[in-house]
Structures are given as structure tokens and as C-alpha cells.
Amino acid sequence: SMDAAILDGILAAGEMAWQMIAYCIGGVAVVVSCVFKNATFGWTRLDSVCVALTAIAIGLWQASGNPGIDIVLSNIAVTIGSVPFFRNVWRDTAREPLLPWLLIEAGAICGAIAIRDWTIGAALTPLWFLVILTATAVLVARQLRVKKAVASVP
């Protein structure tokens, strides 16, 4: 989906982002596990906006020949699509386990450190994902403070 569109744009820009391959594989693994667990999939207007923005990004890239357009717009779509998740984690930090997010954050840090060229194709996605994943890790880590506050109530 959006991660695959970003990866495709990065590859078309002549760059390589192993980090995005991991995100694509991870996304597929989540979908497959949800299917096997019979999880319900909701579809909102925001999902439609994100898919439409990604389709526009791919179309503009194809029309212009500039994969940077796809990379930028698809990263915007990922950001927009993250808003409900951030809202849900803000409301209930316990819904997400901290350790996996810290491991993903470590991967994002490594991805940012591994940037070789400071171009849209090479640098934008690892840096932007670092920002998004840092925000996620901070939100999820709030559960430590919440648990401590609850434990100290007599």
C-alpha cells in the first residue's frame, strides 16, 4: 500500500532502503495475522483519503517522471493515516506493548544513521519515519507513567 508506493519511489530514484522492505514485509505480516485471527477491518473516510493520496502520488510520479513526488505525497498519506492511531494510543496507552515499539524505534534510528545521500529518495522517508516512530514510542511509553501513577494511589 503506502509503504510499497514509497519503496517503489525510492527504488525508482536509484536508492535502496532496506528499512522500507522491512516495513512492507511487516505490513503484510500484520494483515495476514489479522486474517488468520478473524480480526475485523474497519474502513473510514480517512482510509479512503490516504489511498486516494497514494494513487495521486503514483499518478503524478508517472506523469512527471519524478519519483520524489510519490515519496513526498505517500509519506504525507502515511502521516495522515497515523492520526487515528496516535489518538487511540493517547487515550489508552495500555493498548500497545512498549517493547515492540522500542525495537521498531531502534530500527528507525539505524535507518536514519544509514542515510548516505541527503536526497528526497534516500533521506526523506527514513527521517520522516524516525519522527513518526519517535512520537509513537513516546506516546506508548506514557503507559509507564500512567502505571506508576495508578500504583501510587492508596
Side-chain angles (χ1 to χ4, degrees):
S1 61
M2 292 177 281
D3 289 343
I6 294 169
L7 176 61
D8 198 27
I10 290 170
L11 294 173
E15 301 294 340
M16 184 55 207
W18 291 103
Q19 177 183 19
M20 285 310 300
I21 292 172
Y23 289 139
C24 289
I25 292 169
V28 169
V30 167
V31 169
V32 168
S33 66
C34 287
V35 167
F36 281 112
K37 288 188 168 199
N38 294 322
T40 57
F41 291 94
W43 190 268
T44 66
R45 190 177 320 165
L46 188 62
D47 295 316
S48 298
V49 167
C50 293
V51 169
L53 185 56
T54 302
I56 290 168
I58 293 168
L60 289 174
W61 163 30
Q62 294 303 311
S64 70
N66 181 356
I69 293 171
D70 170 58
I71 295 167
V72 171
L73 291 178
S74 293
N75 272 292
I76 291 170
V78 166
T79 305
I80 292 169
S82 299
V83 170
F85 173 76
F86 288 141
R87 183 185 63 231
N88 292 337
V89 172
W90 178 260
R91 290 178 181 164
D92 181 13
T93 59
R95 68 178 288 152
E96 293 292 327
L98 182 57
L99 181 59
W101 286 108
L102 291 177
L103 293 172
I104 294 168
E105 173 69 9
I109 291 168
C110 291
I113 291 170
I115 295 171
R116 289 187 224 164
D117 299 318
W118 292 95
T119 63
I120 288 176
L124 178 67
T125 300
L127 290 175
W128 193 242
F129 276 42
L130 177 62
V131 169
I132 290 173
L133 291 168
T134 298
T136 302
V138 168
L139 284 174
V140 174
R142 288 180 49 245
Q143 66 186 257
L144 298 175
R145 195 177 82 192
V146 170
K147 285 180 184 176
K148 184 178 178 182
V150 170
S152 67
V153 173

